[in-house]
Amino acid sequence: MEQLKTLGRELAMGSQGGFGQSKEFLDLVKSIGEARSKAEEDRIVLHEIETLKRRIIEPDIPKRKMKEYIIRLVYVEMLGHDASFGYIHAVKMTHDDSILLKRTGYLAVTLFLNEDHDLIILIVNTIQKDLKSDNYLVVCAALNAVCRLINEETIPAVLPQVVELLGHQKEAVRKKAIMALHRFYQRSSSSVSHLLSNFRERLCDNDPGVMGAALCPLYDLIVIDPNSYKDLVVSLVSILKQVAERRLPKSCDYHQMPAPFIQIKLLKILALLGSGDKQASEQMYMVVSDVIRKCDGSSNIGNAVLYECVCCVSAIYPNNKLLEAAAHAISNFLKSDSHNLKYMGIDALGRLIKISPEVAEQHQLAVIDCLEDRDDTLKRKTFELLYKMTKSSNVEVIVAHMIDYMISINDNHYKTEIASRCVELAEQFAPSNQWFIQTMNKVFQHAGDLVNIKVAHNLMRLIAEGFGDDDDGADSLLRLSAVESYLSIIGEPKLPSAFLQVICWVLGEYGTADGKYSASSIAGKICDVAEAHSNDNTVKAYAVTALLKIFAFEKARGRKVDMIPECQSLIEDLSASHSTDLQQRAYELQMVIDLDAQTIENIMPIDASCEDIEVDKGLSFLNGYVQQSIENGAQPYVPEHERSGLPNVSSFRSQEHHVASTHALRFEAYELPKTPVPKAPPVSQLSSSELVPVSEPSYNRDVFMMPSVQSTSDGRSDEIKLRLDGVKKKWGRPSYSSTTPSSSSSSLQKTINGVSSIDGMGGSSSKARDAYDSRNAPVEIPPEKQRLAASLFGGISKVEKRPSSIHKPTKASVYAAEKLNLETLAAGNDTSAEKSRSPPPDLLDLGEPDNDVIASLDDPFKQLEGLLEPGTSNLNATPENDIRSLYTGSTITAQSGVINTHQSNNDRLLSLNKGPNAKDSVQRDALVRQMGVNPSSSNPNLFKDLLG
Amino acid sequence: MIRAVMVMNTQGKPRLSKFYDFQPPQKQQELIRTVYSVLCSRPENVSNFVNASSIFGPDCQLVYKHYATLYFVFVYDSAENELAMLDLIQVFVETLDKCFKNVCELDVVFNYCKINTILDEIIFGGQVVETNSAEILRAVEDISKLESTASSTISLVRKPVSSWQTWQSR
């Protein structure tokens, strides 16, 4: 900086217009460079903007001067200030005949404007003209602008010219035309879909640069649909061969490597084409091993190509010789002193262990070194690798490391990611319930606000369901350990909201379940929580409901409930709360504890959070009451579709009545703002409707009697809206908000209101789960995680799972089916989630791995299933089997199909008598886990030293 | 695809920024600031890669290189090779150096147009089109000739960004 200051001064003093710029610009740069604060800088820049605003509109500015103004504008905008006043001048500059100004203009507009800017329309014409220019440099400048400024709508305007340029004599133009077409494809694939063959054609271009450029769009196309480009394998392989054998002109060499960027692109494409395709892969083996052999491991770019080879080898159908070469390359990377190479090595290792897990063994020390490195990037990459290597034998070590690291960092984005990974691994591989609860506690304590709320709900559900067994000691032990750990943790300050919700819910549900803790002690703790988090309404709501449950359970057990004073005051506070929800809950609590034990037991059954609540949507239990009301002269209910067909004018009429009666003088002008009307006069509406008997003919007449058509329709549409509102509240979920009783069915409405409130109280025990349901449906899994999940489950566990289902079909499938059963049990509770889930037999997808990866990318629920998938069953399989069986093709698919049906049968069988079988599954699960940790399994030694 | 190219000095002042997906100016500033703060927190002699998914969205990586008073930063996604991107910075700086004979921060500031031209020859629409610095220079010179701009003849005592040469031998 000092350097710049002195230089700036020297420049300012010594030269006028050095670097082809004026003194003014130098001064500007210098003064900005010397600015001591952001405020000072802003002041200087704002002053500059004022100057430019004045200057730029002066008439007859010399071209050179104008160019400088535009550059100064760009500079100003780069510093973060608005230069939009000058955009139009930049646009004007593109029209200039002088190439100097034209290029500057293009540069400025590509930096200023986006493709949807209004000014673009003024440039399209110029671009069209320039694309036809004789001067190839002008064409290049125009293509550059095309790349940046043409949007979907304007593509057709320039498309013919760009296509024509693909055959231009200058290779630079051809290259850029391909890129422009590629850009069009990215913008809107449909508009250039008929031109995609051009990319293939350009692959045969005489100029290697143009061929290399054509690889970019081809890569994108092949990512989407590899199958229609399989025919390219032969030509791509031969191109790569030619490149590797240095048959390209010398000018393509870079640091003694022949066209490394082209090699890299080719290897990337080959990896895509050869993935899961034995035939295509076999064509590549030769050339890839050639490339690996010729790679110079001492230069950076040589290593780049080598790394790409490893990626390719681990993506295509495996070949032992190549795998060896790749493993060798990886060990060189990891042994290197360069952090960059170590990073690449860890990344490459993560790819290769999917195919040959034993590779990791040789590098365990290097991996642990990387884990302890001070380089964050490397550390994170290593965690990624560990995440991929996790199994039940090493989960404790890995998750412990992850949590330690999670606590140590401040980067919320990564914290979230690593927390969710911890949760995922814990859910998947937990060796014991105790450990699981402890781990979840730690994650929640340190990153509770960052993890998806869904995780909290999952935890509650797991504690509630145990392993699907109601009267087993293990479940109550799990709950007891949860309650104990929460009671010890609850006093700590700054617990995240989501964690407190879990704590409150669990304490409410199970705090008093085994009689170890008294109701009042737990109630006291919960009150403390509610008080300490007085501005978190969700936590308070959970707390009140927990209190309600505790007292209700106490009473149902026949004990006397004496509310401790702090609890009393909390409830009183909350019944005057601004939040209607809290008020509601507080009143509910007060109501419920005054009821007799029998009633309480009915509305608040103990440990029934997993029971299904049957909703009688037709409200048939009210039939008698309705009948009676009708006999007493009430209006029968008119179903919605009848009302929407014939807009109900009864209440409209009554409203007219009401309005007419209150205001003697009325002017049309007051008609318009109608919106608040429906809610405002409910009471009088009610009464007037009783005064005016409604019958079909009368309301027809009414419509015709309306003073102005405009107001009729206004009023009518309002009325329709009102009716729908009413209907929703009546026939939708029971709601507590006082619905505006509407005229025609007021008696019915009242009944339902009465019932719904009771119903609501009963339902409040399931409130947490209700909330869970509604939030569960739109599960948001960040794309980053999706990618990882896809790569993990489409890769490592999938690879290992399949052989296990083939070689040990009985065990694996029974296990899987049981796990499935657990899942369906879980899913059975939340109807909304179940609906959107795929049918159970598909949960454990044993189909083609590729499809699975794609499907899991598309479907968030697939991801969920992936999270819940066991993945431990793989431990019995030996790696050789993995590889052999993975690619034996159609026979496997057939077999797995059989297994699928077998599973679904099993599943059905199991679901008939859930309890004992699920219990078995837990035991067997434990057994499998114990047995899984045997030395013959894939990677036993890696953490031996850590595990001791 | 390459998402963005940024050059900023060690004080965090942007010297060149080019986003291949449009970002509004305010957002650009924010991104540059975030990137700068990340780069500042990196110790010496660690890898040149940073996972940028929290800054630029999923799948994004950035690679940076520190030359004299400047940081060169390339942001790219998984369709690019990390080490190759590192070399692309090398290509860029090498070309600048050839073009300006011992390039320094001031050259970057005062030759905004030319540096953009060079960059456009290397990266086009987010894809690498040329990596041979001689070829790039030839193209840039063609353009300069056409524009008949007299390039700067002033030579001052400047701190050269020559670490690329030493870096290469590392």
Side-chain angles (χ1 to χ4, degrees):
Chain A
M1 201 61 212
E2 280 305 307
Q3 200 79 27
L4 176 66
K5 281 181 189 169
T6 42
L7 282 177
R9 219 165 284 137
E10 270 176 55
L11 277 170
M13 288 184 296
S15 66
Q16 292 281 322
F19 298 104
Q21 320 280 348
S22 74
K23 188 172 173 306
E24 274 177 339
F25 188 42
L26 295 186
D27 285 342
L28 172 70
V29 175
K30 192 181 71 146
S31 55
I32 289 174
E34 284 171 351
R36 257 173 257 107
S37 63
K38 180 83 185 133
E40 194 179 338
E41 184 189 304
D42 285 348
R43 214 162 37 243
I44 295 166
V45 176
L46 287 176
H47 179 253
E48 170 73 9
I49 289 176
E50 286 311 309
T51 320
L52 283 175
K53 263 187 192 162
R54 253 183 293 116
R55 296 274 185 80
I56 212 157
I57 48 168
E58 283 170 12
D60 302 330
I61 306 171
K63 286 183 175 174
R64 209 161 257 293
K65 199 88 191 151
M66 194 62 198
K67 177 193 165 184
E68 196 199 298
Y69 289 153
I70 295 293
I71 294 296
R72 276 155 76 174
L73 272 177
V74 175
Y75 189 72
V76 161
E77 187 157 292
M78 191 172 73
L79 291 173
H81 294 265
D82 178 37
S84 52
F85 67 91
Y87 289 179
I88 185 69
H89 298 282
V91 170
K92 255 195 271 174
M93 211 173 219
T94 61
H95 306 331
D96 204 285
D97 288 332
S98 143
I99 176 125
L100 174 71
L101 290 196
K102 193 184 266 304
R103 282 187 56 89
T104 312
Y106 274 135
L107 172 65
V109 289
T110 52
L111 290 170
F112 284 150
L113 308 181
N114 70 348
E115 66 227 24
D116 299 321
H117 199 281
D118 295 340
L119 291 175
I120 296 295
I121 203 72
L122 298 176
I123 308 173
V124 172
N125 208 4
T126 321
I127 291 179
Q128 276 179 322
K129 208 176 72 208
D130 288 343
L131 285 175
K132 287 185 201 138
S133 163
D134 295 334
N135 189 330
Y136 82 97
L137 292 170
V138 176
V139 178
C140 285
L143 279 174
N144 207 353
V146 162
C147 251
R148 193 56 203 267
L149 301 175
I150 296 297
N151 66 6
E152 202 176 339
E153 284 162 39
T154 35
I155 284 175
V158 293
L159 191 58
Q161 276 115 324
V162 171
V163 172
E164 207 172 293
L165 290 175
L166 287 173
H168 197 273
Q169 54 181 9
K170 276 279 183 189
E171 64 275 357
V173 177
R174 291 204 297 273
K175 223 166 17 180
K176 288 178 180 175
I178 290 174
M179 294 305 191
L181 207 55
H182 180 202
R183 197 71 172 172
F184 292 164
Y185 172 74
Q186 288 174 333
R187 289 265 178 284
S188 119
S189 52
S190 58
S191 62
V192 292
S193 55
H194 58 293
L195 296 165
L196 297 182
S197 60
N198 279 300
F199 296 135
R200 283 163 174 269
E201 277 168 32
R202 285 300 120 201
L203 213 51
C204 313
D205 200 284
N206 290 328
D207 185 79
V210 180
M211 183 272 293
L215 292 175
C216 299
L218 280 174
Y219 176 80
D220 277 9
L221 289 169
I222 292 171
V223 165
I224 295 167
D225 175 23
N227 285 330
S228 29
Y229 291 87
K230 293 278 185 194
D231 57 310
L232 280 180
V233 172
V234 182
S235 28
L236 291 173
V237 164
S238 91
I239 293 171
L240 182 56
K241 198 163 155 40
Q242 288 176 42
V243 176
E245 287 172 356
R246 295 179 180 275
R247 292 213 226 130
L248 295 192
K250 207 83 190 117
S251 66
C252 297
D253 283 10
Y254 174 81
H255 290 197
Q256 283 89 49
M257 279 286 286
F261 284 83
I262 292 180
Q263 289 195 40
I264 288 169
K265 264 273 136 57
L266 282 167
L267 285 165
K268 274 189 185 294
I269 295 178
L270 288 182
L272 290 174
L273 289 174
S275 150
D277 183 340
K278 190 176 178 193
Q279 206 194 346
S281 302
E282 274 168 355
Q283 294 173 310
M284 303 169 190
Y285 291 155
M286 262 313 259
V287 73
V288 174
S289 81
D290 253 19
V291 173
I292 295 180
R293 200 156 34 80
K294 286 184 175 144
C295 267
D296 162 27
S298 61
S299 74
N300 184 54
I301 194 73
N303 284 320
V305 177
L306 206 52
Y307 163 77
E308 211 52 65
C309 287
V310 175
C311 294
C312 182
V313 167
S314 48
I316 63 179
Y317 182 81
N319 168 287
N320 283 336
K321 236 180 89 200
L322 283 179
L323 287 174
E324 267 169 43
H328 181 70
I330 289 177
S331 71
N332 282 344
F333 284 154
L334 289 173
K335 276 178 207 150
S336 150
D337 289 334
S338 153
H339 277 83
N340 288 340
L341 290 186
K342 276 188 192 165
Y343 173 85
M344 301 316 281
I346 293 283
D347 184 273
L349 191 58
R351 291 168 191 267
L352 203 64
I353 54 163
K354 285 180 210 158
I355 301 175
S356 40
E358 72 279 358
V359 184
E361 259 171 78
Q362 313 158 17
H363 304 298
Q364 43 180 313
L365 286 178
V367 169
I368 290 167
D369 278 349
C370 291
L371 197 60
E372 281 152 14
D373 201 277
R374 67 210 165 92
D375 183 356
D376 240 20
T377 314
L378 191 53
K379 224 179 221 174
R380 289 180 188 187
K381 201 73 189 177
T382 315
F383 275 120
E384 218 164 282
L385 174 69
L386 291 184
Y387 169 77
K388 286 181 196 163
M389 301 192 324
T390 310
K391 25 188 200 298
S392 44
S393 58
N394 57 15
V395 64
E396 288 173 75
V397 186
I398 289 180
V399 171
H401 264 91
M402 281 182 162
I403 290 179
D404 284 347
Y405 182 63
M406 185 186 81
I407 295 169
S408 73
I409 55 172
N410 294 321
D411 173 0
N412 275 353
H413 180 84
Y414 194 66
K415 218 173 189 165
T416 315
E417 197 180 303
I418 203 161
S420 59
R421 279 184 177 178
C422 288
V423 171
E424 192 185 322
L425 292 179
E427 281 179 352
Q428 213 178 335
F429 298 110
S432 70
N433 295 335
Q434 198 77 25
W435 180 85
F436 180 75
I437 302 258
Q438 296 291 337
T439 307
M440 295 307 269
N441 284 358
K442 273 189 215 153
V443 173
F444 271 114
Q445 245 178 309
H446 297 104
D449 289 331
L450 301 171
V451 294
N452 197 326
I453 191 73
K454 175 192 132 253
V455 174
H457 297 146
N458 261 343
L459 179 58
M460 289 184 225
R461 198 169 67 177
L462 187 117
I463 293 172
E465 284 170 1
F467 283 93
D469 196 348
D470 295 313
D471 44 23
D472 188 34
D475 286 347
S476 49
L477 223 63
L478 166 76
R479 287 165 194 158
L480 180 62
S481 76
V483 167
E484 272 172 355
S485 70
Y486 292 153
L487 283 176
S488 67
I489 239 171
I490 199 169
E492 287 184 25
K494 285 195 200 161
L495 289 177
S497 172
F499 191 32
L500 286 167
Q501 292 168 28
V502 176
I503 292 179
C504 287
W505 189 83
V506 172
L507 289 184
E509 197 78 25
Y510 302 112
T512 57
D514 62 342
K516 194 171 169 187
Y517 300 98
S518 74
S520 56
S521 72
I522 289 190
K525 296 256 187 195
I526 292 174
C527 288
D528 290 345
V529 170
E531 255 160 61
H533 299 83
S534 51
N535 37 18
D536 189 337
N537 279 350
T538 325
V539 169
K540 278 200 281 188
Y542 268 90
V544 182
T545 309
L547 288 175
L548 165 66
K549 281 189 231 169
I550 289 171
F551 294 137
F553 295 163
E554 277 299 287
K555 198 135 189 196
R557 286 195 190 99
R559 290 174 216 159
K560 196 175 169 299
V561 175
D562 37 316
M563 235 197 258
I564 50 173
E566 46 186 318
C567 196
Q568 199 77 52
S569 70
L570 175 74
I571 301 298
E572 271 161 26
D573 273 3
L574 291 185
S575 27
S577 166
H578 284 299
S579 154
T580 45
D581 178 53
L582 288 179
Q583 257 190 43
Q584 170 81 32
R585 285 166 197 257
Y587 281 122
E588 264 172 37
L589 192 150
Q590 286 168 336
M591 291 295 288
V592 168
I593 53 173
D594 288 339
L595 297 171
D596 61 294
Q598 189 54 45
T599 320
I600 288 183
E601 213 179 333
N602 279 337
I603 59 172
M604 274 295 198
I606 292 170
D607 190 19
S609 61
C610 305
E611 307 293 314
D612 282 324
I613 291 175
E614 280 188 20
V615 178
D616 184 359
K617 280 190 177 153
L619 302 181
S620 56
F621 56 91
L622 290 174
N623 282 350
Y625 188 85
V626 172
Q627 198 54 47
Q628 202 186 336
S629 303
I630 289 175
E631 275 162 16
N632 291 346
Q635 291 293 321
Y637 174 67
V638 185
E640 185 189 343
H641 54 90
E642 283 176 35
R643 270 173 293 151
S644 53
L646 295 167
N648 193 334
V649 189
S650 66
S651 55
F652 177 59
R653 237 184 74 108
S654 64
Q655 182 195 319
E656 280 299 304
H657 259 260
H658 159 70
V659 172
S661 61
T662 43
H663 303 283
L665 278 173
R666 267 197 53 226
F667 295 98
E668 297 300 314
Y670 288 140
E671 278 289 310
L672 268 164
K674 259 268 163 72
T675 28
V677 169
K679 279 183 186 167
V683 183
S684 53
Q685 206 177 316
L686 210 167
S687 58
S688 58
S689 85
E690 273 157 10
L691 293 173
V692 185
V694 183
S695 56
E696 293 288 315
S698 76
Y699 86 53
N700 271 342
R701 202 184 57 225
D702 267 290
V703 172
F704 290 120
M705 272 164 60
M706 289 325 295
S708 88
V709 180
Q710 177 61 40
S711 67
T712 326
S713 59
D714 266 357
R716 228 198 259 187
S717 67
D718 271 343
E719 275 322 296
I720 290 164
K721 252 185 231 155
L722 175 72
R723 308 306 300 170
L724 288 175
D725 273 349
V727 168
K728 223 177 199 168
K729 277 174 184 157
K730 264 184 289 174
W731 299 105
R733 312 171 70 123
S735 72
Y736 306 108
S737 56
S738 56
T739 42
T740 26
S742 51
S743 54
S744 68
S745 53
S746 57
S747 60
L748 191 60
Q749 171 74 34
K750 258 186 225 157
T751 2
I752 290 149
N753 265 349
V755 170
S756 76
S757 61
I758 291 163
D759 193 357
M761 281 180 201
S764 66
S765 74
S766 66
K767 193 158 273 177
R769 197 159 37 77
D770 273 329
Y772 169 69
D773 285 352
S774 57
R775 274 175 241 177
N776 190 30
V779 175
E780 283 276 336
I781 294 175
E784 175 76 4
K785 209 175 132 195
Q786 267 187 25
R787 186 170 61 87
L788 285 161
S791 67
L792 189 73
F793 293 105
I796 184 158
S797 56
K798 185 60 66 186
V799 169
E800 294 176 344
K801 203 165 293 148
R802 291 186 58 168
S804 70
S805 61
I806 288 148
H807 298 291
K808 302 177 193 260
T810 41
K811 192 165 189 180
S813 57
V814 165
Y815 176 80
E818 280 163 357
K819 198 75 185 174
L820 269 173
N821 183 34
L822 289 183
E823 267 190 61
T824 39
L825 257 179
N829 273 327
D830 42 13
T831 40
S832 65
E834 192 178 40
K835 254 177 231 161
S836 38
R837 275 182 200 207
S838 40
D842 287 343
L843 293 181
L844 195 75
D845 193 347
L846 293 166
E848 278 293 306
D850 283 358
N851 296 342
D852 193 56
V853 174
I854 294 160
S856 57
L857 276 171
D858 290 338
D859 184 0
F861 288 101
K862 269 263 149 58
Q863 294 293 314
L864 267 180
E865 289 149 24
L867 300 184
L868 293 164
E869 244 170 32
T872 38
S873 56
N874 53 29
L875 289 167
N876 298 313
T878 56
E880 293 92 294
N881 287 340
D882 300 356
I883 296 159
R884 210 168 353 109
S885 53
L886 176 58
Y887 292 97
T888 29
S890 55
T891 48
I892 293 177
T893 335
Q895 282 197 41
S896 59
V898 171
I899 288 155
N900 258 341
T901 49
H902 172 57
Q903 268 177 12
S904 56
N905 283 337
N906 228 336
D907 187 35
R908 229 172 287 141
L909 232 160
L910 285 170
S911 51
L912 286 174
N913 45 357
K914 294 173 186 175
N917 262 337
K919 180 179 164 188
D920 280 354
S921 89
V922 178
Q923 284 166 355
R924 207 165 309 163
D925 178 28
L927 204 68
V928 167
R929 277 173 184 162
Q930 277 168 13
M931 284 168 35
V933 195
N934 63 35
S936 70
S937 72
S938 36
N939 195 9
N941 289 325
L942 186 59
F943 280 87
K944 209 156 89 187
D945 51 341
L946 282 172
L947 283 163
Chain B
M1 181 189 165
I2 296 167
R3 301 289 179 87
V5 172
M6 301 175 197
V7 178
M8 61 186 92
N9 70 6
T10 40
Q11 314 286 304
K13 281 216 165 43
R15 289 305 181 205
L16 172 73
S17 67
K18 212 171 171 88
F19 292 83
Y20 292 95
D21 291 321
F22 181 81
Q23 306 281 0
Q26 289 312 315
K27 179 80 181 157
Q28 289 186 16
Q29 286 306 302
E30 194 191 310
L31 291 173
I32 291 171
R33 267 200 302 277
T34 331
V35 168
Y36 175 70
S37 66
V38 169
L39 296 189
C40 280
S41 64
R42 306 268 305 162
E44 291 275 324
N45 295 326
V46 292
S47 61
N48 299 79
F49 311 117
V50 177
N51 189 319
S53 54
S54 57
I55 310 169
F56 291 92
D59 203 26
C60 276
Q61 292 258 32
L62 71 79
V63 56
Y64 69 98
K65 195 93 192 80
H66 189 174
Y67 291 99
T69 55
L70 292 176
Y71 282 119
F72 287 78
V73 182
F74 282 30
V75 183
Y76 56 92
D77 62 19
S78 63
E80 304 291 335
N81 178 306
E82 283 96 335
L83 289 171
M85 285 300 111
L86 191 58
D87 258 42
L88 200 62
I89 296 189
Q90 178 77 3
V91 171
F92 185 40
V93 177
E94 223 171 281
T95 315
L96 290 182
D97 200 68
K98 278 185 189 159
C99 187
F100 296 107
K101 312 276 181 309
N102 281 344
V103 65
C104 75
E105 188 179 342
L106 274 185
D107 292 314
V108 180
V109 179
F110 289 114
N111 292 284
Y112 196 82
C113 263
K114 196 160 188 176
I115 284 170
N116 266 293
T117 313
I118 293 173
L119 190 59
D120 285 346
E121 288 302 315
I122 300 175
I123 302 170
F124 192 87
Q127 304 287 350
V128 184
V129 286
E130 184 60 72
T131 52
N132 185 329
S133 57
E135 284 288 320
I136 300 163
L137 274 187
R138 208 163 48 82
V140 173
E141 265 154 32
D142 280 355
I143 294 165
S144 309
K145 235 178 272 165
L146 193 73
E147 290 178 353
S148 64
T149 20
S151 61
S152 128
T153 47
I154 288 179
S155 65
L156 286 159
V157 192
R158 291 175 294 181
K159 185 176 175 186
V161 181
S162 52
S163 49
W164 67 269
Q165 282 153 335
T166 54
W167 176 78
Q168 207 182 326
S169 59
R170 261 204 274 147

